[in-house]
């Protein structure tokens, strides 16, 4: 166990560094208006966006949750986490490309929903959008709290609350441009730590030791981590988990304004496509694979499990880092990695919430508000969100990160069908959109609570929440006379000043 003093030094050091960066960014790039603050003036090149997308999708869950998946499902855990969590981006990319094409001056996805479906449906999506942010940032706080508690033995609530408030203060002052700037710095640091740590871990523990340990896990029924599919890449349980991961991530991607803000901030649609593909496939995908198959499988191969060396399987990654590098260096390296993963993801979520409140919410309650007043409100609301999230994170002490992630899929998968169909199909009406969301949410929750087996409950609950709304929309729309005219979106003019260069179609 590293000293508590080192943990406090790390937290205080991070606070000074990131608050300092926020002051530097806001001074160097003063906001010229709402659009400049929430989408960075729509002029960020694809290389910077690629790094930002990669690191903002590296959650504490990507490292710790994928490692936990490795302990649950063996060698297939990290791979199934990877393809499941990456798949939604291949729905998001064509969706946001199409959105930029048909509605060039759109800033938030709720603006599109309001123009497409009306105020009522837009309000529902606004609530879901904020709920996703609350969930995402809370999970980062939980993850960082676990790391600092297990590695430095400082109180969990301190490790959870301080990072959340640091990132809230940072985004409040620096906006999306500050979030992206921060992402690029932390992209390089996290990559360097992974490149250094993984070979050392494999050499120290030994590939033979890991393989022999997994063989025992797969064949020895007396092994505390017994799993006959530990060495199988076609593990049925692992494949089910991969599908759950895809459904869970679908809502997290399609309803997180932070990803739309970065997509809108990219200089062109062509750069947007390159940035998101490079950021997810080349940049992000190796992280969960390595986390699951280095941290997770190493833990169970060494005979360590829940109640037998660790209190929770969420501690797999920090435990291995501590064991290999020693309590000082190991704790510091993993704390850096986890803190930066949480900061970038939390910053992405809070920047998205800031855009939703600044562009949508405040103009609804104060239509006459100036852009300066909008910005002031958007900065203050981020601090409030940070405080709420900090309290929730404290209340979730001891809860599995992976279980939180899996259950959230049911809640956030339900609205994605109406969004996707509403963007591509003119016959989807506001009434059908609402009915589909209610059906998906109710169906998913009922399925989850009715099935006794936990694995099947998670799998079928998430599946129903995602698929049932599409069925409702199809039958509710195919015989409907309702048709939406997408052409009117081309001429949409937001309340704030927006400067764009129309791209050739």
């Amino acid at each position: 166990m590293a000293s508590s003093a080192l943990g406090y030094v790390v937290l205080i050091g991070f606070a000074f560094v990131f608050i300092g960066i926020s002051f530097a960014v806001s001074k160097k790039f003063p906001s010229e208006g709402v659009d400049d603050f929430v989408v960075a003036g729509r002029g960020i090149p694809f290389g910077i966006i690629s790094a930002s997308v990669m690191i903002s999708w590296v959650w504490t869950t990507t490292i710790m949750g994928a490692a936990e998946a490795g302990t649950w499902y063996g060698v297939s855990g990290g791979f199934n986490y990877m393809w499941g969590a990456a798949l939604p981006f291949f729905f998001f990319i064509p969706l946001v490309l199409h959105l930029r094409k048909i509605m060039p001056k759109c800033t938030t996805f709720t603006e599109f929903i309001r123009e497409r479906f009306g105020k009522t449906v837009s309000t529902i999506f606004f609530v879901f959008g904020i709920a996703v942010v609350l969930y995402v940032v809370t999970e980062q706080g939980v993850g960082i709290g676990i790391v600092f508690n297990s590695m430095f033995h400082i109180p969990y609530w301190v490790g959870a609350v301080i990072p959340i408030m640091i990132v809230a203060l940072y985004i409040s002052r620096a906006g999306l441009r500050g979030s992206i700037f921060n992402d690029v710095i932390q992209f390089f640091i996290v990559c360097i730590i992974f490149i250094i740590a993984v070979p050392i871990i494999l050499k120290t523990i030994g590939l033979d030791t890991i393989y022999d340990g997994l063989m025992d896990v797969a064949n020895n029924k007396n092994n505390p981590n017994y799993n006959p599919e530990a060495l199988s890449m076609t593990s049925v349980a692992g494949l089910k988990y991969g599908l759950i991961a895809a459904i869970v991530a679908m809502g997290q991607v399609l309803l997180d304004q932070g990803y739309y803000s970065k997509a809108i901030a990219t200089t062109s649609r062509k750069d947007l496509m390159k940035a998101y593909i490079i950021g997810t496939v080349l940049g992000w995908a190796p992280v969960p694979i390595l986390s699951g198959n280095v941290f997770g499988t190493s833990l169970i191969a060494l005979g360590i499990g829940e109640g037998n060396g660790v209190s929770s399987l969420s501690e797999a990654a920090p435990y291995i880092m501590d064991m290999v590098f020693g309590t000082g260096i190991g704790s510091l390296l993993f704390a850096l990695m986890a803190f930066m993963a949480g900061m970038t993801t939390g910053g992405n979520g809070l920047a998205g919430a800031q855009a939703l409140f600044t562009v949508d919410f405040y103009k609804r309650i104060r239509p006459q508000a100036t852009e300066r007043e909008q910005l002031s409100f958007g900065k203050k609301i981020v601090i409030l969100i940070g405080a709420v999230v900090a309290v929730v994170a404290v209340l979730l002490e001891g809860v599995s990160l992976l279980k939180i992630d899996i259950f959230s899929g049911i809640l956030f998968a339900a609205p994605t069908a109406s969004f996707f169909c509403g963007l591509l199909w003119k016959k989807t009406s506001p009434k059908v959109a609402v009915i589909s969301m209610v059906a998906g949410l109710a169906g998913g929750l009922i399925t989850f609570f009715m099935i006794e087996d936990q694995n099947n409950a998670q799998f079928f609950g998430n599946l129903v929440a995602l698929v049932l709304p599409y069925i409702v929309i199809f039958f509710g729309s195919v015989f409907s006379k309702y048709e939406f005219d997408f052409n009117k979106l081309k001429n949409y003019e937001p309340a704030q000043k927006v400067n764009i260069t129309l791209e050739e179609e």
Side-chain angles (χ1 to χ4, degrees):
M1 192 77 69
S3 68
S4 297
L6 179 58
Y8 285 110
V9 168
V10 171
L11 283 176
I12 294 170
F14 278 138
F16 276 105
V17 168
F18 289 108
I19 300 300
I21 291 175
S22 72
F23 275 91
V25 170
S26 59
K27 185 177 181 179
K28 179 71 174 177
F29 304 101
S31 298
E32 298 178 359
V34 169
D35 202 63
D36 189 51
F37 191 67
V38 300
V39 288
R42 303 176 188 245
I44 307 297
F46 89 92
I48 293 176
I49 293 294
S50 295
S52 180
V53 168
M54 176 270 182
I55 199 66
S56 60
W57 195 230
V58 175
W59 297 22
T60 52
T61 318
T62 308
I63 301 170
M64 298 173 67
E68 188 175 351
T71 67
W72 283 15
Y73 307 110
V75 295
S76 72
F79 284 96
N80 284 309
Y81 186 108
M82 180 276 295
W83 74 259
L87 185 64
F89 277 102
F90 293 92
F91 288 86
F92 173 85
I93 293 168
L95 184 150
V96 77
L97 284 169
H98 188 61
L99 180 60
R100 280 187 59 156
K101 179 180 178 180
I102 66 172
M103 195 174 177
K105 291 190 177 182
C106 179
T107 302
T108 67
F109 74 91
T110 51
E111 279 182 292
F112 163 74
I113 296 295
R114 184 173 64 249
E115 296 301 308
R116 175 65 176 85
F117 290 122
K119 291 182 179 179
T120 300
V121 181
S122 175
T123 299
I124 295 172
F125 270 89
F126 180 87
V127 172
F128 272 111
I130 297 302
V132 165
V133 171
L134 293 174
Y135 158 70
V136 168
V137 183
T138 298
E139 193 166 72
Q140 306 320 300
V142 171
I144 297 173
I146 290 172
V147 170
F148 277 82
N149 178 251
S150 64
M151 305 196 88
F152 298 108
H153 205 48
I154 66 175
Y156 163 83
W157 74 267
V158 174
V161 170
I162 291 179
I164 290 172
M165 294 314 300
I166 290 173
V167 73
L169 289 168
Y170 181 92
I171 296 301
S172 173
R173 186 170 184 85
L176 182 69
R177 184 178 277 107
S179 174
I180 293 173
F181 183 81
N182 174 46
D183 289 348
V184 173
I185 295 173
Q186 298 189 40
F187 164 80
F188 287 106
I189 295 174
V190 170
C191 288
I192 289 170
I193 293 174
F194 253 94
I195 290 170
I196 292 172
V198 168
I200 294 175
I201 291 170
L202 293 177
K203 183 178 180 181
T204 302
I205 298 176
L207 289 173
D208 289 342
T209 300
I210 295 173
Y211 177 75
D212 291 341
L214 290 176
M215 283 290 289
D216 193 68
V217 169
N219 297 298
N220 182 5
K221 293 184 179 181
N222 295 320
N223 190 304
N225 298 312
Y226 175 66
N227 175 8
E229 294 186 309
L231 282 168
S232 172
M233 285 299 294
T234 57
S235 162
V236 174
L239 290 171
K240 281 186 177 181
Y241 168 70
L243 184 56
I244 292 173
I247 298 170
V248 169
M250 192 72 73
Q252 293 168 353
V253 172
L254 297 185
L255 299 176
D256 189 336
Q257 174 58 35
Y259 294 110
Y260 291 93
S261 294
K262 288 177 181 177
I264 299 300
T266 311
T267 50
S268 67
R269 294 201 304 273
K270 183 179 179 181
D271 281 353
L272 187 165
M273 183 170 65
K274 288 192 297 182
Y276 272 75
I277 291 176
I278 291 172
T280 52
V281 176
L282 299 181
W284 175 84
V287 177
I289 293 174
L290 291 172
S291 294
N293 288 282
V294 175
F295 298 127
T297 57
S298 292
L299 190 84
I300 59 173
L302 293 171
I304 300 163
E306 197 164 74
N308 183 34
V310 292
S311 59
S312 167
L313 292 176
S314 293
E315 298 174 17
Y319 183 95
I320 294 297
M321 287 290 288
D322 245 6
M323 185 189 76
V324 172
F325 291 96
T327 55
I329 297 175
S331 296
L332 183 59
L333 287 175
F334 194 80
L336 279 168
M337 194 160 52
F339 190 96
M340 291 182 176
M343 283 283 290
T344 52
T345 303
N348 179 73
L350 288 174
Q354 191 173 56
L356 290 176
F357 275 103
T358 304
V359 174
D360 292 343
F361 181 81
Y362 196 59
K363 287 300 287 185
R364 290 194 198 186
I365 61 174
R366 286 200 63 204
Q368 75 282 9
T370 64
E371 290 199 30
R372 182 181 293 274
E373 290 171 329
Q374 282 180 271
L375 286 173
S376 177
F377 178 79
K379 291 178 179 182
K380 292 173 182 175
I381 199 69
V382 168
I383 303 297
L384 178 60
I385 293 173
V388 171
V389 167
V391 172
V392 176
V394 171
L395 297 175
L396 290 176
E397 181 177 3
V399 178
S400 165
L401 287 176
L402 210 55
K403 289 179 181 178
I404 296 174
D405 217 29
I406 290 171
F407 185 76
S408 74
I410 298 173
L411 304 180
F412 300 131
T416 59
S418 54
F419 185 18
F420 204 79
C421 293
L423 188 63
L424 301 174
W425 196 15
K426 63 184 179 181
K427 292 183 69 64
T428 305
S429 68
K431 182 178 179 180
V432 169
V434 172
I435 293 173
S436 74
M437 286 187 276
V438 173
L441 189 59
L445 290 173
I446 291 170
T447 302
F448 178 83
F449 288 112
M450 283 187 65
I451 298 176
E452 293 185 5
D453 180 79
Q454 185 181 30
N455 289 330
N456 285 330
Q458 293 168 348
F459 175 73
F460 288 108
N462 277 272
L463 189 63
V464 169
L466 179 70
V467 174
L468 182 57
Y470 282 99
I471 296 173
V472 171
I473 288 173
F474 176 78
F475 286 104
S477 301
V478 72
F479 301 111
S480 172
K481 294 181 180 180
Y482 175 90
E483 290 189 359
F484 179 77
D485 181 11
F486 284 102
N487 290 323
K488 71 177 187 178
L489 298 178
K490 281 275 189 182
N491 301 318
Y492 170 73
E493 289 291 338
Q496 74 274 10
K497 183 180 178 181
V498 173
N499 293 316
I500 61 168
T501 301
L502 292 177
E503 302 169 37
E504 294 183 5
E505 298 181 8

